[in-house]
Amino acid sequence: MPNGTVAVVRDYYEELWRRLPEQLDPPYWELRRAFLLGHVRPGDRALDLGSGDGAFTAVLAEAGAHPVGVEIAEAALARARSRNPELDFRFAPIDGPLPLEDNSFDLVWSSEVIEHVADTARWLSEVRRVLAPGGRLLLTTPAHGRLRVALGGVERFSEPLGDHLHLYTRASLRRLLEDFDFGEISVRPVAGAPLLKELLLARAVR
């Protein structure tokens, strides 16, 4: 990503987090929380990748894991640290590697993040690098099945000035994880009518 583009994207997310209200109402919060709690184990070394205000990092800690939250926006980190000063939150440059050691996590949780990532290949390579062999990856991302996009139009889900860079279907997300040599892949569409599901819950193993 060119330096000028990096600066623009970084500033976008800093301004976004400065303007967001203190009390957020995340979409499908309980559904995503239940998905996470169904897979985290006490003692897990867990990474909350794209941790935002730290809400899910706190959920991981409450479940008995040892979490680290990582964010690209200092404004988000400031919120997370003020709300959960006892937890470990770290800054990651948007155009650089994760500030984490190889094979250092049993679980990587990244909820509503992958659709915003410009360089998906580099991002998933970093996820694999920090996951221990046999480590689990949990993703959630909006579902964009063929019928849903046909009825709503692609502009509804990927505005020219918006920050959703990629639209995923159940099949395309599975293929992506297969391409990066993840195994035991499960991608489940949830929330909404049978052919109009709105959310994908994905699990894979390194």
Side-chain angles (χ1 to χ4, degrees):
M1 193 184 298
N3 289 339
T5 303
V6 169
V8 168
V9 175
R10 182 177 59 241
D11 290 348
Y12 171 87
Y13 283 107
E14 293 293 350
E15 180 63 18
L16 175 68
W17 276 101
R18 281 193 290 266
R19 296 179 63 178
L20 282 172
E22 285 296 321
Q23 296 302 319
L24 300 176
D25 184 20
Y28 303 113
W29 165 258
E30 289 299 336
L31 198 159
R32 290 189 284 149
R33 180 176 179 273
F35 176 55
L36 173 58
L37 290 176
H39 293 284
V40 65
R41 303 166 186 164
D44 271 344
R45 300 167 298 162
L47 171 61
D48 183 3
L49 184 54
S51 51
D53 64 5
F56 278 119
T57 318
V59 170
L60 285 163
E62 291 163 6
H66 305 291
V68 174
V70 169
E71 249 298 335
I72 61 168
E74 293 283 8
L77 288 172
R79 286 195 191 193
R81 288 166 177 156
S82 68
R83 295 179 183 188
N84 300 283
E86 75 284 3
L87 298 182
D88 183 357
F89 293 100
R90 306 182 193 180
F91 174 78
I94 196 169
D95 59 339
L98 294 173
L100 303 162
E101 297 296 323
D102 295 357
N103 307 321
S104 52
F105 293 98
D106 306 301
L107 176 71
V108 171
W109 162 256
S110 195
S111 187
E112 309 303 283
V113 173
I114 192 171
E115 66 272 15
H116 303 283
V117 174
D119 190 343
T120 307
R122 183 178 65 81
W123 188 83
L124 272 176
S125 295
E126 282 294 284
V127 168
R128 280 191 60 85
R129 180 181 67 79
V130 302
L131 264 176
R136 294 104 63 210
L137 170 62
L138 300 178
L139 297 173
T140 81
T141 189
H144 294 97
R146 189 173 301 171
L147 180 59
R148 189 161 182 249
V149 172
L151 292 176
V154 70
E155 296 84 1
R156 175 182 172 188
F157 306 111
S158 184
E159 298 176 359
L161 297 179
D163 57 3
H164 279 216
L165 304 179
H166 305 285
L167 305 182
Y168 289 99
T169 66
R170 182 181 191 176
S172 68
L173 185 56
R174 171 178 284 277
R175 283 197 303 271
L176 177 66
L177 295 173
E178 289 172 345
D179 287 346
F180 280 80
D181 292 327
F182 284 94
E184 300 180 34
I185 299 168
S186 168
V187 182
R188 181 162 55 101
V190 298
L195 295 178
L196 296 169
K197 297 298 185 183
E198 298 181 6
L199 187 68
L200 297 174
L201 307 179
R203 178 188 182 276
V205 175
R206 178 185 186 279

